[in-house]
C-alpha cells in the first residue's frame, strides 16, 4: 500500500487543496491530509476546526483521510508509513517556498516530496486571500468547500 502525506496549514482548506488531494489519490492508495503547525503563521482557525473542515470536505472521497500533527512532519510521515510528501504548486512563488522545505525534509529522513500542479482554474485561490476577502466582507463560498465560509466568518467575528 502506498501512502502519501499532503501537509499544510489549511487555514482554511480551499477547493484548490481538495483538487490536489484528489490528484494525489490517483497516484497513491492512501492520501493523508495532515493539518500541521507552521511556526511562521498564526492561524485564524484553531487546529480542531481546520481538521473538521478538511474532514468534511473530503468525507465523500475514498482513500483520502485527515489527521493532525504538531511535531516534525517527517516524524508523522514515518509514524504512518508514508513514503512521500505531496504539495500543490500554483506557480513559481510556491516553488520558491516549497523547495527548501522539500530539501530539509529529505535531508532529515530521506523522504521525497513530489509537486503536483492543480487545476489552473483554481490557481488564484489561496487560504490567505480567502481570509482577506472574508475579512473585508466578500463572499468566499465559490473558493471553499461547503461549511468553510460559515466557520471563517465565525472565527473572524470571535477575533474582533
Ligand atoms: O500550508 P503551509 O503553511 O505552507 O504548510 C507548511 C507546513 C505546515 C507543511 C510546514 O510548516 C510543516 O511541515 N510544519 C510541521 C513542522 C515541520 O516539520 N517543520 C519543518 C519543515 S521543513
Amino acid at each position: 500500500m502506498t501512502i502519501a502525506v499532503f501537509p499544510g496549514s489549511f487555514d482554511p482548506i480551499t477547493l484548490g487543496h481538495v483538487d490536489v488531494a484528489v490528484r494525489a489519490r490517483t497516484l497513491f492508495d492512501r492520501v493523508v491530509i495532515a493539518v500541521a503547525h507552521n511556526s511562521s503563521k498564526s492561524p485564524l482557525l484553531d487546529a480542531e476546526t481546520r481538521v473538521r473542515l478538511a474532514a468534511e470536505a473530503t468525507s465523500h472521497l475514498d482513500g483520502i483521510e485527515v489527521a493532525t500533527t504538531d511535531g516534525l512532519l517527517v516524524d508523522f510521515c514515518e509514524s504512518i508509513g508514508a513514503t512521500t510528501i505531496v504539495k500543490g504548486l500554483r506557480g513559481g512563488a510556491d516553488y520558491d517556498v516549497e523547495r527548501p522545505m522539500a530539501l530539509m525534509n529529505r535531508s532529515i529522513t530521506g523522504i521525497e516530496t513530489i509537486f503536483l500542479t492543480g487545476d489552473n482554474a483554481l490557481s488564484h485561490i489561496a487560504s490567505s486571500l480567502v481570509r482577506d476577502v472574508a475579512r473585508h466582507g466578500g463572499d468566499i463560498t465559490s473558493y471553499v468547500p461547503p461549511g468553510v465560509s460559515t466557520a471563517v466568518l465565525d472565527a473572524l467575528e470571535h477575533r474582533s
Side-chain angles (χ1 to χ4, degrees), residues 30-34 55 58 61 63-67:
R30 265 177 78 201
V31 173
V32 179
I33 294 175
T58 55
L61 298 169
I64 299 181
E65 343 163 357
V66 179

Side-chain angles (χ1 to χ4, degrees), residues 7-10 36-39 41 71-74 87 97-98 100-101 104-105:
S9 299
F10 301 106
H37 178 65
N38 182 336
S39 44
K41 292 182 181 171
L72 262 188
L73 181 65
V74 289
K87 284 293 198 109
V97 173
E98 297 297 340
M101 284 196 269
M104 180 59 81
N105 286 328

Side-chain angles (χ1 to χ4, degrees), residues 34-107:
V35 177
H37 178 65
N38 182 336
S39 44
S40 60
K41 292 182 181 171
S42 168
L44 170 67
L45 301 169
D46 59 41
E48 193 185 321
T49 304
R50 286 180 279 144
V51 168
R52 176 178 61 78
L53 294 174
E56 285 172 5
T58 55
S59 60
H60 60 295
L61 298 169
D62 184 48
I64 299 181
E65 343 163 357
V66 179
T68 186
T69 171
D70 56 9
L72 262 188
L73 181 65
V74 289
D75 289 343
F76 174 73
C77 292
E78 242 169 30
S79 74
I80 64 164
T83 53
T84 312
I85 294 168
V86 171
K87 284 293 198 109
L89 289 185
R90 290 163 300 195
D94 279 352
Y95 182 69
D96 289 343
V97 173
E98 297 297 340
R99 184 173 175 275
M101 284 196 269
L103 289 171
M104 180 59 81
N105 286 328
R106 187 169 63 195
S107 152

Side-chain angles (χ1 to χ4, degrees), residues 125-146:
I125 304 176
S127 297
S128 55
L129 292 180
V130 162
R131 292 194 305 274
D132 202 45
V133 169
R135 188 172 281 122
H136 292 92
D139 179 7
I140 60 167
T141 50
S142 53
Y143 311 120
V144 292

